[in-house]
Amino acid sequence: MSQVMDFDSLRRAMADNYEQPEGPARNARAEQLLVEAEKLNIPLAVIEALGHQLKVYNYSSEKDKMFVPFARLLRMWDERPEDFDEYETHSLHWVFKWMSAGMLGQPHIPLASMEKWLGEMEHRYRLAGHSERAVRSAEFSVAAHVGDLARAERAYAAWLAADRDEMADCHACELHDQGWWQARKGEDERALQLWGPVLDGEYVCAHEPHAVLASSLLPLLRLGRPDEARGHHLRGFRLVRGMESMRSSYAYHVEFCALTGNEARGLELLAERPAYFTDSGDPRSRLDFLAVVALLMDRLVVLGLGEQTVPGPAGREWTARELAAHARGEALALAARFDARNGTAYVGERTRERMDRPPLVDRLPLGVRTARPAPAPPPVPAAPVPERDLPALLAEARRLSDALHPDAVDAWAAVARAAEGHELDARDRADLADHEAIGRGPEGAESFERAAELYAAAGDPGEALAARARAAFVRALTGHSDRALEEITGLRQEVLALFEEGGTGVRQTASVLVGRARILMHRLEEDEGNAGAAEEAVRELLAFAGPHTAETRPASRAAEATAMLGELAGRAGDAETAAELLARAAEEYVAAGLPWFAVEHEARLAHLALQLGDPEGAERAARAALEHGQGRLEPIGQAQLHLGLAEALSASGRVAEAAEHALEAAHWADEAGEGPTLGAWARHQLGGLLLRQGRFAEAAEVLESALPDLTAETHGDGAIVQTQWWLGDCHTELGEHRAAAERWLRAAEIARHWPEQRDHAMLAHLAAEALGHADLPAEADRAYARAADLWRGLGNTHGLVRALRARAWLAARGEAGLDAARELMAEAARVCESSSPEDEEARIRLVTELGHTHRQFGDLVARSAAEGTDEDTAAFEEALGHMAEAIAVFASLGAAGLGPRTGAELAAGWLEADLHRPDAASARARAVLSAYEGADGDTEPVRARRAEAERLLEMLEAQHKE
């Protein structure tokens, strides 16, 4: 920076500084620029620098500093109003409102001073001829803050009744404050109606819809609209995340997390803004923040996580319990200062109410990646069941066992606890050991063997064989399948012989046969088995159990055999038969009153149906699995089923419903501890589904949270590229072009290693477009050159031509100049002319591309003309030649080229007019009108062409009269 700036340089520096992120660095720069302004000895320069300083202070954590520059500005106005130009006069009166709000937020400023200020503001506005609307709005803010609700209502009514003029806040800010008041009174529906135009994008400003989205969170939850609240959180937090001045809005998002079971995300939000704990320049927003910190910490304490380390004020480590006490104390102390200033207890009451607010939703999945809090200590074990309950517990356990109910293992565990110190008969001990073995999973073989001994001692040799078969299956699962097969072969022979002798029943025999089938199927998974042997065992089981399906256990075995046959069909590559058999097995389980056993097969069926191109069948199967597994599915099963249902619904085009299930899948994957694996994949899918719905900010938030966990090893590099690609789409729609380019370039870097290079080319092209929109022409040209080389290598004429044309426009606007642009456009035309498409459709597309190239060539040359010079005429002549080429090319397409041909004809007409050839220009306009005689005049393109032709004729006629 030079020692003394000139005024223009100062203005540019202030404009540049205002574009920097909010915060102390921007404020410090504004202070330096005021010093530079004072060196110029130009009053207006000082006025503008003071206004700039005041503005950056207002939108920062140092709001308390803005009173000094304002006081100086006001003094300068009172002494020499002629030094203020029209804009600075307007600005001075505009920031009167900021002073009112700023005073409210500073508890050391007496209430009497604020009331005096309101009178001063009203007097000066009246002198300047302004409406009292802004004054009444400021009065409403004061009355609402101190709790004078009657005065607030009067001021609110007067505010709305007063005329809107240039001093009124923007529509978006006014609607935010009006809606806030309605929500404060409990009129949540009315609040959301008022906020509607802001939420819909009809009214926006630098801080809206940011604040409205934050303020709407609790009203939406109170109205039972959690899905909308989730969307507002994801969209709104993205907007306020980087804005230091929006601490109160940020606090709403922390509060939302605390009240919806998202305490872990709330902690992440606190960690992102450590300075919010201590920034003292705006005590009012600090009070808001500390109150919700106390609320969040109290929630963690209630959840048993009081000793967890949490983000807090710098300088020490904090536990949730410690921070809860600290934040509550600080918040109440601040509230007391406001109440002492205001002469009421209102701020303290509202603060306590906020800190003690109960949760509004037990669980509201957000879809974003969140590190879960450390688990709370395990609960104290329940007291032993009283002795008198033992017979009832035994009866209940037997009932559940006979029904093959999933709760049977827990019921027998309760029997075991109640039976401590009591003598049970051999049969009871056998059943206890059997179910203990089931509960031990891979470690249960020895318990099954002990159960077999007890069954034998109890006089039930068939059940003993069945228990030994279960032990053999456990051995197969734990790496001893050869031994298991040897054991089960002998057990099969024994049980069939025993059954023939009448020494055991169908149930026990089927249990041994199913053990054999399971072991042989497992050996196939280990690539050690024989599919023929497995099928023989399965069919034997089905033939044995099939005639006895009126009984629960045999019915279960028959259904399992049917499912195994489905698995064998799938292994053999017969997906249709596999799907048919799995569907039949699920139906058999449900018919037998065993829906919980159908879940696994319905889940496989859903996957198979998708593979077979049957999304409706996949949807039915997934929904059935969720229904039949309700209350019994492990979190990972929930996640997988919801994800499968999301994929099925997406394939059917039901994107909104698919997104709901992808959201559930992400939540359950996190609950299962699979956030980085299945959870990341679910978030990837959810982000894509939100993007398809046009919910770009929400999609970006979800996709950004998925990206850190997506890995080539687990998810494939295609998922990473797709996520980056989608993020680029989101950034583009949100106007964040530089960020879009970065996403697409990162994706292109991965895709460049792929054998097929079309995605690489497309990503490079998209990045180039985004760089152009971001006003980075040199970077855009390099990316277009990269894309052009890739399109050329792929033999993709259309991609190559479009990249060349884009480079031509960049060259014309940059240092390369018009000659370089001409060469690039000429090359694009040569590429079109030298290509030989194989079919008629491709030929038409290529000819159309050639026509657009000539048309753009003409536009480029015409726009590059230096107005008012001899070069102007030559350039227009050259451009007209290219337009004539375009017209001829489009005309060769007949009716298919009518639209672009008439567009080029009109462009040529305007050029003829610029070259002072009214007759030629008129002829071209009339040619366009003639081309559309008899055409459908109700279509927008036709109306637009005719209207433009008529405007050209009217202009020519007016010039002729002159």
Side-chain angles (χ1 to χ4, degrees), residues 798 801-802 805 832 841-855 886 889-890 892-893 896-897 900:
H798 302 281
V801 167
R802 290 172 187 182
R805 291 199 305 243
C832 290
E841 183 179 347
R843 186 194 71 81
I844 291 172
R845 285 185 63 215
L846 192 61
V847 171
T848 303
E849 203 72 79
L850 176 62
H852 286 307
T853 301
H854 285 303
R855 165 68 196 267
V889 170
F890 287 133
S892 72
L893 295 172

mmCIF file of all heavy atoms in Angstrom, residues 798 801-802 805 832 841-855 886 889-890 892-893 896-897 900:
data_model
loop_
_atom_site.group_PDB
_atom_site.id
_atom_site.type_symbol
_atom_site.label_atom_id
_atom_site.label_comp_id
_atom_site.label_asym_id
_atom_site.label_seq_id
_atom_site.Cartn_x
_atom_site.Cartn_y
_atom_site.Cartn_z
ATOM 1 N N HIS A 798 -18.412 -33.049 -30.573
ATOM 2 C CA HIS A 798 -19.218 -32.004 -29.929
ATOM 3 C C HIS A 798 -18.508 -31.424 -28.714
ATOM 4 O O HIS A 798 -18.469 -30.203 -28.532
ATOM 5 C CB HIS A 798 -20.587 -32.585 -29.542
ATOM 6 C CG HIS A 798 -21.350 -33.136 -30.695
ATOM 7 N ND1 HIS A 798 -22.043 -32.325 -31.568
ATOM 8 C CD2 HIS A 798 -21.486 -34.394 -31.157
ATOM 9 C CE1 HIS A 798 -22.602 -33.079 -32.503
ATOM 10 N NE2 HIS A 798 -22.271 -34.341 -32.279
ATOM 11 N N VAL A 801 -15.541 -29.248 -29.988
ATOM 12 C CA VAL A 801 -15.971 -27.980 -30.586
ATOM 13 C C VAL A 801 -16.397 -26.988 -29.509
ATOM 14 O O VAL A 801 -16.046 -25.798 -29.546
ATOM 15 C CB VAL A 801 -17.104 -28.233 -31.599
ATOM 16 C CG1 VAL A 801 -17.782 -26.934 -32.002
ATOM 17 C CG2 VAL A 801 -16.551 -28.950 -32.824
ATOM 18 N N ARG A 802 -17.119 -27.465 -28.532
ATOM 19 C CA ARG A 802 -17.593 -26.551 -27.483
ATOM 20 C C ARG A 802 -16.439 -26.040 -26.629
ATOM 21 O O ARG A 802 -16.445 -24.880 -26.199
ATOM 22 C CB ARG A 802 -18.657 -27.262 -26.634
ATOM 23 C CG ARG A 802 -19.937 -27.474 -27.436
ATOM 24 C CD ARG A 802 -20.961 -28.323 -26.744
ATOM 25 N NE ARG A 802 -22.069 -28.594 -27.665
ATOM 26 C CZ ARG A 802 -23.150 -29.280 -27.355
ATOM 27 N NH1 ARG A 802 -23.284 -29.787 -26.134
ATOM 28 N NH2 ARG A 802 -24.108 -29.474 -28.261
ATOM 29 N N ARG A 805 -14.720 -23.339 -28.739
ATOM 30 C CA ARG A 805 -15.489 -22.089 -28.763
ATOM 31 C C ARG A 805 -15.349 -21.339 -27.443
ATOM 32 O O ARG A 805 -15.206 -20.111 -27.416
ATOM 33 C CB ARG A 805 -16.962 -22.383 -29.054
ATOM 34 C CG ARG A 805 -17.228 -22.859 -30.466
ATOM 35 C CD ARG A 805 -18.689 -22.704 -30.857
ATOM 36 N NE ARG A 805 -19.616 -23.338 -29.952
ATOM 37 C CZ ARG A 805 -20.428 -24.337 -30.264
ATOM 38 N NH1 ARG A 805 -20.396 -24.858 -31.502
ATOM 39 N NH2 ARG A 805 -21.278 -24.822 -29.390
ATOM 40 N N CYS A 832 -15.751 -29.490 -37.219
ATOM 41 C CA CYS A 832 -17.112 -29.887 -37.641
ATOM 42 C C CYS A 832 -17.116 -30.337 -39.099
ATOM 43 O O CYS A 832 -17.712 -31.369 -39.448
ATOM 44 C CB CYS A 832 -18.085 -28.723 -37.467
ATOM 45 S SG CYS A 832 -18.452 -28.303 -35.750
ATOM 46 N N GLU A 841 -29.000 -39.014 -37.842
ATOM 47 C CA GLU A 841 -29.196 -38.254 -36.601
ATOM 48 C C GLU A 841 -27.894 -37.578 -36.178
ATOM 49 O O GLU A 841 -27.885 -36.405 -35.799
ATOM 50 C CB GLU A 841 -29.699 -39.186 -35.493
ATOM 51 C CG GLU A 841 -30.007 -38.452 -34.193
ATOM 52 C CD GLU A 841 -30.532 -39.392 -33.121
ATOM 53 O OE1 GLU A 841 -30.895 -40.544 -33.454
ATOM 54 O OE2 GLU A 841 -30.562 -38.978 -31.950
ATOM 55 N N ALA A 842 -26.790 -38.332 -36.264
ATOM 56 C CA ALA A 842 -25.497 -37.758 -35.905
ATOM 57 C C ALA A 842 -25.109 -36.648 -36.875
ATOM 58 O O ALA A 842 -24.495 -35.644 -36.486
ATOM 59 C CB ALA A 842 -24.431 -38.847 -35.888
ATOM 60 N N ARG A 843 -25.454 -36.809 -38.167
ATOM 61 C CA ARG A 843 -25.140 -35.769 -39.156
ATOM 62 C C ARG A 843 -25.864 -34.473 -38.822
ATOM 63 O O ARG A 843 -25.289 -33.377 -38.878
ATOM 64 C CB ARG A 843 -25.535 -36.246 -40.554
ATOM 65 C CG ARG A 843 -25.112 -35.265 -41.664
ATOM 66 C CD ARG A 843 -25.793 -35.577 -42.981
ATOM 67 N NE ARG A 843 -27.218 -35.261 -42.936
ATOM 68 C CZ ARG A 843 -27.702 -34.014 -43.112
ATOM 69 N NH1 ARG A 843 -26.901 -32.993 -43.301
ATOM 70 N NH2 ARG A 843 -29.013 -33.815 -43.065
ATOM 71 N N ILE A 844 -27.144 -34.594 -38.457
ATOM 72 C CA ILE A 844 -27.925 -33.398 -38.126
ATOM 73 C C ILE A 844 -27.338 -32.688 -36.908
ATOM 74 O O ILE A 844 -27.216 -31.457 -36.882
ATOM 75 C CB ILE A 844 -29.403 -33.786 -37.887
ATOM 76 C CG1 ILE A 844 -30.038 -34.229 -39.215
ATOM 77 C CG2 ILE A 844 -30.177 -32.623 -37.272
ATOM 78 C CD1 ILE A 844 -31.427 -34.802 -39.060
ATOM 79 N N ARG A 845 -26.950 -33.464 -35.916
ATOM 80 C CA ARG A 845 -26.354 -32.873 -34.722
ATOM 81 C C ARG A 845 -25.062 -32.126 -35.065
ATOM 82 O O ARG A 845 -24.793 -31.032 -34.565
ATOM 83 C CB ARG A 845 -26.058 -33.950 -33.675
ATOM 84 C CG ARG A 845 -27.277 -34.482 -32.947
ATOM 85 C CD ARG A 845 -26.868 -35.444 -31.844
ATOM 86 N NE ARG A 845 -26.072 -34.782 -30.840
ATOM 87 C CZ ARG A 845 -25.066 -35.342 -30.184
ATOM 88 N NH1 ARG A 845 -24.698 -36.589 -30.472
ATOM 89 N NH2 ARG A 845 -24.395 -34.671 -29.265
ATOM 90 N N LEU A 846 -24.265 -32.710 -35.956
ATOM 91 C CA LEU A 846 -22.981 -32.107 -36.306
ATOM 92 C C LEU A 846 -23.183 -30.836 -37.133
ATOM 93 O O LEU A 846 -22.498 -29.824 -36.936
ATOM 94 C CB LEU A 846 -22.125 -33.108 -37.066
ATOM 95 C CG LEU A 846 -20.665 -32.706 -37.247
ATOM 96 C CD1 LEU A 846 -19.980 -32.547 -35.895
ATOM 97 C CD2 LEU A 846 -19.931 -33.751 -38.079
ATOM 98 N N VAL A 847 -24.123 -30.876 -38.059
ATOM 99 C CA VAL A 847 -24.410 -29.684 -38.864
ATOM 100 C C VAL A 847 -24.915 -28.558 -37.956
ATOM 101 O O VAL A 847 -24.541 -27.388 -38.124
ATOM 102 C CB VAL A 847 -25.435 -30.022 -39.970
ATOM 103 C CG1 VAL A 847 -25.902 -28.745 -40.666
ATOM 104 C CG2 VAL A 847 -24.838 -30.984 -40.977
ATOM 105 N N THR A 848 -25.757 -28.933 -37.006
ATOM 106 C CA THR A 848 -26.249 -27.929 -36.049
ATOM 107 C C THR A 848 -25.092 -27.306 -35.282
ATOM 108 O O THR A 848 -25.042 -26.084 -35.062
ATOM 109 C CB THR A 848 -27.246 -28.585 -35.068
ATOM 110 O OG1 THR A 848 -28.314 -29.176 -35.813
ATOM 111 C CG2 THR A 848 -27.803 -27.564 -34.097
ATOM 112 N N GLU A 849 -24.146 -28.145 -34.880
ATOM 113 C CA GLU A 849 -22.977 -27.651 -34.151
ATOM 114 C C GLU A 849 -22.173 -26.679 -35.019
ATOM 115 O O GLU A 849 -21.670 -25.652 -34.534
ATOM 116 C CB GLU A 849 -22.106 -28.833 -33.730
ATOM 117 C CG GLU A 849 -21.205 -28.575 -32.545
ATOM 118 C CD GLU A 849 -21.967 -28.485 -31.233
ATOM 119 O OE1 GLU A 849 -22.334 -29.538 -30.677
ATOM 120 O OE2 GLU A 849 -22.188 -27.339 -30.776
ATOM 121 N N LEU A 850 -22.043 -26.993 -36.301
ATOM 122 C CA LEU A 850 -21.330 -26.108 -37.222
ATOM 123 C C LEU A 850 -22.043 -24.768 -37.339
ATOM 124 O O LEU A 850 -21.410 -23.697 -37.323
ATOM 125 C CB LEU A 850 -21.208 -26.774 -38.596
ATOM 126 C CG LEU A 850 -20.569 -25.918 -39.694
ATOM 127 C CD1 LEU A 850 -19.131 -25.547 -39.325
ATOM 128 C CD2 LEU A 850 -20.604 -26.668 -41.038
ATOM 129 N N GLY A 851 -23.385 -24.828 -37.442
ATOM 130 C CA GLY A 851 -24.140 -23.579 -37.521
ATOM 131 C C GLY A 851 -23.940 -22.711 -36.293
ATOM 132 O O GLY A 851 -23.731 -21.496 -36.393
ATOM 133 N N HIS A 852 -23.974 -23.328 -35.104
ATOM 134 C CA HIS A 852 -23.761 -22.569 -33.863
ATOM 135 C C HIS A 852 -22.349 -21.994 -33.808
ATOM 136 O O HIS A 852 -22.138 -20.892 -33.276
ATOM 137 C CB HIS A 852 -24.002 -23.471 -32.654
ATOM 138 C CG HIS A 852 -25.452 -23.761 -32.395
ATOM 139 N ND1 HIS A 852 -26.400 -22.775 -32.264
ATOM 140 C CD2 HIS A 852 -26.115 -24.943 -32.247
ATOM 141 C CE1 HIS A 852 -27.592 -23.322 -32.038
ATOM 142 N NE2 HIS A 852 -27.445 -24.642 -32.034
ATOM 143 N N THR A 853 -21.391 -22.707 -34.373
ATOM 144 C CA THR A 853 -20.015 -22.203 -34.382
ATOM 145 C C THR A 853 -19.912 -20.943 -35.224
ATOM 146 O O THR A 853 -19.310 -19.936 -34.800
ATOM 147 C CB THR A 853 -19.056 -23.278 -34.899
ATOM 148 O OG1 THR A 853 -19.149 -24.429 -34.059
ATOM 149 C CG2 THR A 853 -17.617 -22.782 -34.907
ATOM 150 N N HIS A 854 -20.487 -20.963 -36.423
ATOM 151 C CA HIS A 854 -20.484 -19.754 -37.262
ATOM 152 C C HIS A 854 -21.228 -18.612 -36.574
ATOM 153 O O HIS A 854 -20.786 -17.458 -36.628
ATOM 154 C CB HIS A 854 -21.120 -20.052 -38.620
ATOM 155 C CG HIS A 854 -20.234 -20.847 -39.541
ATOM 156 N ND1 HIS A 854 -18.974 -20.425 -39.897
ATOM 157 C CD2 HIS A 854 -20.436 -22.033 -40.180
ATOM 158 C CE1 HIS A 854 -18.425 -21.314 -40.720
ATOM 159 N NE2 HIS A 854 -19.290 -22.304 -40.904
ATOM 160 N N ARG A 855 -22.364 -18.948 -35.950
ATOM 161 C CA ARG A 855 -23.147 -17.904 -35.278
ATOM 162 C C ARG A 855 -22.316 -17.276 -34.157
ATOM 163 O O ARG A 855 -22.255 -16.047 -34.021
ATOM 164 C CB ARG A 855 -24.434 -18.530 -34.723
ATOM 165 C CG ARG A 855 -25.183 -17.672 -33.693
ATOM 166 C CD ARG A 855 -25.791 -16.422 -34.312
ATOM 167 N NE ARG A 855 -26.171 -15.460 -33.306
ATOM 168 C CZ ARG A 855 -27.389 -15.377 -32.754
ATOM 169 N NH1 ARG A 855 -28.341 -16.231 -33.110
ATOM 170 N NH2 ARG A 855 -27.663 -14.438 -31.881
ATOM 171 N N ALA A 886 -23.764 -19.086 -40.965
ATOM 172 C CA ALA A 886 -24.639 -19.763 -40.009
ATOM 173 C C ALA A 886 -26.030 -19.933 -40.592
ATOM 174 O O ALA A 886 -26.642 -21.009 -40.477
ATOM 175 C CB ALA A 886 -24.700 -18.975 -38.705
ATOM 176 N N VAL A 889 -26.032 -22.720 -43.142
ATOM 177 C CA VAL A 889 -25.910 -24.049 -42.525
ATOM 178 C C VAL A 889 -27.231 -24.463 -41.877
ATOM 179 O O VAL A 889 -27.721 -25.583 -42.085
ATOM 180 C CB VAL A 889 -24.778 -24.059 -41.484
ATOM 181 C CG1 VAL A 889 -24.801 -25.364 -40.673
ATOM 182 C CG2 VAL A 889 -23.429 -23.890 -42.164
ATOM 183 N N PHE A 890 -27.844 -23.558 -41.142
ATOM 184 C CA PHE A 890 -29.113 -23.891 -40.489
ATOM 185 C C PHE A 890 -30.217 -24.125 -41.520
ATOM 186 O O PHE A 890 -31.083 -24.991 -41.352
ATOM 187 C CB PHE A 890 -29.532 -22.780 -39.531
ATOM 188 C CG PHE A 890 -28.710 -22.711 -38.268
ATOM 189 C CD1 PHE A 890 -28.218 -21.490 -37.808
ATOM 190 C CD2 PHE A 890 -28.427 -23.858 -37.542
ATOM 191 C CE1 PHE A 890 -27.466 -21.418 -36.658
ATOM 192 C CE2 PHE A 890 -27.665 -23.785 -36.372
ATOM 193 C CZ PHE A 890 -27.181 -22.567 -35.928
ATOM 194 N N SER A 892 -29.904 -25.490 -44.343
ATOM 195 C CA SER A 892 -29.739 -26.815 -44.942
ATOM 196 C C SER A 892 -30.439 -27.905 -44.138
ATOM 197 O O SER A 892 -30.668 -29.009 -44.634
ATOM 198 C CB SER A 892 -28.251 -27.161 -45.078
ATOM 199 O OG SER A 892 -27.683 -27.442 -43.802
ATOM 200 N N LEU A 893 -30.808 -27.575 -42.903
ATOM 201 C CA LEU A 893 -31.492 -28.553 -42.051
ATOM 202 C C LEU A 893 -32.998 -28.513 -42.215
ATOM 203 O O LEU A 893 -33.708 -29.320 -41.612
ATOM 204 C CB LEU A 893 -31.141 -28.297 -40.577
ATOM 205 C CG LEU A 893 -29.671 -28.501 -40.181
ATOM 206 C CD1 LEU A 893 -29.432 -28.019 -38.753
ATOM 207 C CD2 LEU A 893 -29.302 -29.980 -40.311
ATOM 208 N N ALA A 896 -35.963 -28.494 -39.136
ATOM 209 C CA ALA A 896 -35.220 -28.747 -37.899
ATOM 210 C C ALA A 896 -34.321 -27.575 -37.533
ATOM 211 O O ALA A 896 -33.969 -27.398 -36.368
ATOM 212 C CB ALA A 896 -34.388 -30.021 -38.038
ATOM 213 N N GLY A 897 -33.930 -26.753 -38.520
ATOM 214 C CA GLY A 897 -33.027 -25.637 -38.254
ATOM 215 C C GLY A 897 -33.728 -24.300 -38.215
ATOM 216 O O GLY A 897 -33.057 -23.265 -38.175
ATOM 217 N N PRO A 900 -32.809 -21.830 -34.841
ATOM 218 C CA PRO A 900 -31.493 -21.189 -34.875
ATOM 219 C C PRO A 900 -31.272 -20.352 -36.133
ATOM 220 O O PRO A 900 -30.552 -19.361 -36.105
ATOM 221 C CB PRO A 900 -30.519 -22.364 -34.795
ATOM 222 C CG PRO A 900 -31.300 -23.585 -35.123
ATOM 223 C CD PRO A 900 -32.706 -23.304 -34.736
#
